[in-house]
């Protein structure tokens, strides 16, 4: 079915929002999503938030060396994940997407294994923490080098088109990433090819300390889509349902052969850029506090309550259950222990070359 | 070392109005390692410029600024992120003087924190100096002490060619040393003898100077006299100082945490073999990082350990 009439108009002056801050549904179409689906969105957002809180404990107790707080991004995360055909479509995420990992169905134990860099990490502790990935879930491994994953996301989309797999390549990044050459190169290529790719910018208005006015003189990130000849959407990324419905539409659009889209999800990062950052150096506390008043989880809770899908008892059971699962997964991950030292020589190539064999032997001797 | 960088930038900006700083987070934040702290307050946002997140733009724009008469000092947040700007370094900065027959030049400095040991995984731990050394037209410095950092950075800023200035990040706050507040310069291209010795030469630079000096102490405790040389500049490296030392000791290790193959260590060892074969008592040995990407879980094991240096020294001495 090729659809030509779409619900959302690109290049809107204001961000697309479907519920107000009190949780009232304000869209001009009815909210016809199953109750379990809506509760699932809430559960994933809450899980993401609890995970973020756990990471702070991991860093304080020295169990991990780096975290990139994602609190404030949860609505965008669940919107993106649930709009995808998880396990079929491919995701090209970046380091602040831990809530997205949760919503994509990555087991907590693997997430913690990656955070600890230990044997519970499917990637064998090769990368710094907050750099997950999963071949099993079609989640491309996160790379620290900003925007370097965007041309590969475009390439995967081209492959999907050539092979006619019916998949879509979804790629996320921050506003800072839109300044890199790789961003322009990747979007342009995908657009020229009409490939099934969706580019989602989680615009939290800062790239470390540098605010949006230093990244672009454009009115919005979404506006930049004009340059590639693709639609650009501005979305309230603190609104889980706006994030979900817009992403669903552009993914469907890409899947049905209409090519890429750029979606700008306006979010806010409550925490510092990373565990190595002091955000008070560049933004006022009041700004952060004001953003917290617009909390995406609280806003969605109000909507659920208005729909008769939420009560305190359910909330408490849900929280207790998630906390227990998170704690148990951490314990299980910790119990897996260190990655063997010599594993550092594996996976450089499919077959090790003589230099790696020699170097491995040297370390083996040294460890004896 | 961080204070030494800050002082060098401050002094040069005060001395010469053409000197300016640009990069990601260098202004309001003062740099993620705080190397540029306070400079924007003092010199304003035009001379301490927060840029878009684009290394190609930072390095490429610095070339244009330099060609037009400024003295830009660009900060790349981590050496690992120079690669999006590599085309600008290799195609523009390095070759501008040559390809224009000397009509245009790019007197600029590109500063970058490099090396491992801070649990940063491969994209916050690499030592890419060989890429620069392999590109004709770039000078490359890798510092190891706060004193040198200030003197060499000032020289780099005054140099009439593009200079890569690498700062091993594990040394940023690890070393304390009195750095004179008055003006001094350290020449580019000159090594330092950190310790005199007669039995074996240990040639190193940057972060690995720590383990190299520890190894020399251990050797001394068992009666072996090691001479320790810090290259400081890896391109052009101080061939004379190295050959003089090896001619005296007859044995040599070249130590660096960069990957082994096609490295600075390879270059130094090959030159020694070419020029001093008759005077060598043992083959020149390299003690280096490995030809794998830098692994997160084995952060400490990747870099040349004191044990690895001592084992190599034993091999050279027993040869
Ligand atoms: C090529 C490159 N340059 C610099 C960095 C250092 N760095 C890491 S995160 C970051 C800011 C990214 O901001 P943004 O893309 O807006 O994402 P956010 O962190 O705000 O979610 C920078 C400069 C990097 N990782 N890669």
């Amino acid at each position: 079915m090729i659809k030509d009439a779409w619900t959302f108009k690109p290049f809107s002056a204001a961000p697309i929002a479907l519920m107000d801050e009190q949780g009232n549904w304000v869209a001009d179409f009815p909210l016809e999503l199953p109750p379990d689906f809506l509760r699932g969105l809430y559960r994933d957002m809450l899980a993401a938030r609890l995970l973020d809180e756990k990471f702070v404990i991991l860093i304080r107790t020295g169990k991990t060396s780096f975290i990139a707080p994602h609190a404030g991004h949860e609505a965008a995360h669940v919107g993106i994940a649930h709009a995808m055909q998880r396990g079929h479509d491919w995701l090209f995420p970046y380091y602040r997407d831990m809530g997205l990992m949760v919503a994509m169905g990555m087991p907590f134990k693997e997430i913690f294994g990656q955070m600890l860099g230990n044997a519970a990490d499917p990637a064998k502790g090769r990368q710094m923490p907050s750099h997950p990935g999963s071949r099993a879930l079609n989640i491309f491994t996160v790379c620290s080098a900003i925007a370097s994953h965007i041309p590969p996301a475009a390439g995967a989309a081209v492959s999907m088109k050539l092979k006619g797999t019916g998949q879509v390549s979804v790629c996320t990044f921050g506003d800072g990433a839109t300044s890199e050459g790789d961003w322009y190169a990747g979007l342009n290529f995908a657009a020229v090819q009409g490939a099934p790719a969706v580019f989602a910018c989680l615009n939290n208005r800062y790239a470390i300390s540098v605010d949006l006015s230093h990244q672009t003189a454009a009115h919005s990130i979404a506006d930049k889509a004009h340059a590639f000849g693709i639609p650009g959407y501005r979305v309230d990324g603190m609104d889980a349902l706006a994030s979900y419905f817009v992403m669903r539409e552009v993914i469907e659009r890409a899947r049905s052969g209409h090519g890429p889209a750029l979606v700008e999800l306006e979010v806010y990062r409550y925490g510092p850029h990373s565990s190595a950052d002091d955000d008070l150096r560049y933004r006022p506390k009041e700004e952060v506090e004001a953003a917290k008043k617009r909390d995406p989880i609280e806003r969605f809770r109000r909507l659920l309550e208005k729909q008769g899908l939420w009560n305190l008892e359910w909330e408490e059971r849900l929280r207790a259950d998630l906390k227990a699962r998170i704690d148990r997964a951490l314990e299980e991950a910790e119990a897996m222990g260190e990655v063997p030292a010599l594993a550092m020589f594996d996976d450089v190539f499919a077959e090790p070359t003589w230099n790696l064999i020699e170097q491995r032997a040297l370390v083996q001797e040294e460890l004896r | 070392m961080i204070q030494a960088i800050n002082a060098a930038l401050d002094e040069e900006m005060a001395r010469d109005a053409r000197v300016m700083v640009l990069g990601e987070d260098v202004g309001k934040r003062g740099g993620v390692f705080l190397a540029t702290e306070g400079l924007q307050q003092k010199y304003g946002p035009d001379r301490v410029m927060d840029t878009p997140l684009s290394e190609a733009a930072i390095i490429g724009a610095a070339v244009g600024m330099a060609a037009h008469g400024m003295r830009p000092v660009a900060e790349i947040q981590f050496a690992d992120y120079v690669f999006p700007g590599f085309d600008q370094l290799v195609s523009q900065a390095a070759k501008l003087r040559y390809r224009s027959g000397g009509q245009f030049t790019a007197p600029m400095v590109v500063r970058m924190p490099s090396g491992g040991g801070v649990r940063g995984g491969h994209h916050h731990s690499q030592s890419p100096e060989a890429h620069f050394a392999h590109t004709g037209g770039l000078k490359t410095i890798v510092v190891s002490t706060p004193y040198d950092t200030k003197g060499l950075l000032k020289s780099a800023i005054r140099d009439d060619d593009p200079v890569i200035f690498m700062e091993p990040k594990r040394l940023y706050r690890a070393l304390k040393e009195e750095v004179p507040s008055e003006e001094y310069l350290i020449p580019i291209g000159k090594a330092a003898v950190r310790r005199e010795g007669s039995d074996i030469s240990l040639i190193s630079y940057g972060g690995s100077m720590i383990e190299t000096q520890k190894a020399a102490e251990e050797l001394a405790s068992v009666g072996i006299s090691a001479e320790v040389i810090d290259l400081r500049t890896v391109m052009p490296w101080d061939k004379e100082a190295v050959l003089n030392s090896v001619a005296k000791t007859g044995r040599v290790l070249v130590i660096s945490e960069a990957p082994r193959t096609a490295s600075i260590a390879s270059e130094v060892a090959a030159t020694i073999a070419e020029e001093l074969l008759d005077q060598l008592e043992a083959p020149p040995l390299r003690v280096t990082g490995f030809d794998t990407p830098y692994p997160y879980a084995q952060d400490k094991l990747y870099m040349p350990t004191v044990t690895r240096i001592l084992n190599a020294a034993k091999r050279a001495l027993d040869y």
Side-chain angles (χ1 to χ4, degrees), chain B residues 73-192:
Chain B
V73 183
E75 178 176 295
I76 300 299
Q77 207 157 72
F78 286 87
D80 313 71
Y81 303 135
V82 70
F83 296 106
F86 210 59
D87 183 38
Q88 289 299 324
L89 258 189
V90 171
S91 307
Q92 292 290 347
K95 297 177 174 67
L96 187 59
R97 179 188 291 278
Y98 194 75
R99 70 172 205 265
S100 69
Q103 299 178 85
F104 293 100
T105 60
M108 58 190 268
V109 179
V110 184
R111 289 181 41 240
M112 56 185 85
S114 65
V118 296
R119 304 219 76 198
H122 35 255
H123 288 115
H124 297 85
S125 302
Q126 296 172 89
S127 301
E129 56 268 22
H131 293 288
F132 308 129
H134 202 68
T135 301
L138 299 177
K139 295 178 181 172
T140 302
I141 292 168
V142 191
V143 289
S144 76
T145 72
Y147 181 87
D148 282 7
T149 298
K150 183 175 160 191
L152 276 163
L153 183 53
K154 286 169 67 85
S155 295
I157 293 170
R158 297 183 196 191
D159 198 274
D160 290 330
D161 284 303
V163 180
I164 309 292
F165 195 87
M166 297 176 68
E167 303 155 4
K169 65 183 87 67
R170 69 179 164 123
L171 305 184
Y172 269 157
R173 296 181 193 275
L175 303 173
K176 293 265 174 290
E177 184 182 40
E178 243 355 279
V179 173
S181 53
E182 61 273 12
E183 161 101 4
Y184 67 94
L185 297 171
I186 293 179
I188 294 173
K190 285 274 170 281

Side-chain angles (χ1 to χ4, degrees), chain A residues 36 47-49 61 65 68 75-76 79 82-83 96 104 106 175 195 248 289 291 304 314 317 322 357-358:
Chain A
D36 279 356
R49 179 64 57 85
T61 52
S65 63
H82 288 272
R96 203 180 300 288
M104 291 295 287
M106 191 164 180
D175 45 300
R248 194 177 83 170
E289 291 312 317
L304 287 184
W314 179 73
R317 250 188 301 124
L322 286 170
I357 294 168
E358 260 184 39

Side-chain angles (χ1 to χ4, degrees), chain B residues 9-39:
Chain B
L9 292 171
D10 194 0
E11 284 176 27
E12 291 303 298
M13 292 184 82
R15 181 188 63 83
D16 182 347
R18 298 173 305 166
V19 177
M20 62 169 294
V21 167
L22 72 161
E24 296 154 13
D25 299 289
V26 297
K28 225 169 170 183
R29 172 83 167 81
V32 292
F33 292 102
L34 304 183
T36 54
E37 190 173 21
L39 296 178

Side-chain angles (χ1 to χ4, degrees), chain A residues 73 94-96 144-146 173-178 180 202 204 206-208 269 273, chain B residues 24-25 53 55 77-78 81 84 124:
Chain A
H73 287 218
Y94 81 115
Y95 53 81
R96 203 180 300 288
S144 302
I146 299 284
F173 43 82
D175 45 300
T178 68
E180 290 280 10
L202 286 107
N204 62 25
Y206 290 93
I208 309 190
R269 127 167 95 71
H273 168 75
Chain B
E24 296 154 13
D25 299 289
L53 206 178
E55 291 74 14
Q77 207 157 72
F78 286 87
Y81 303 135
H124 297 85

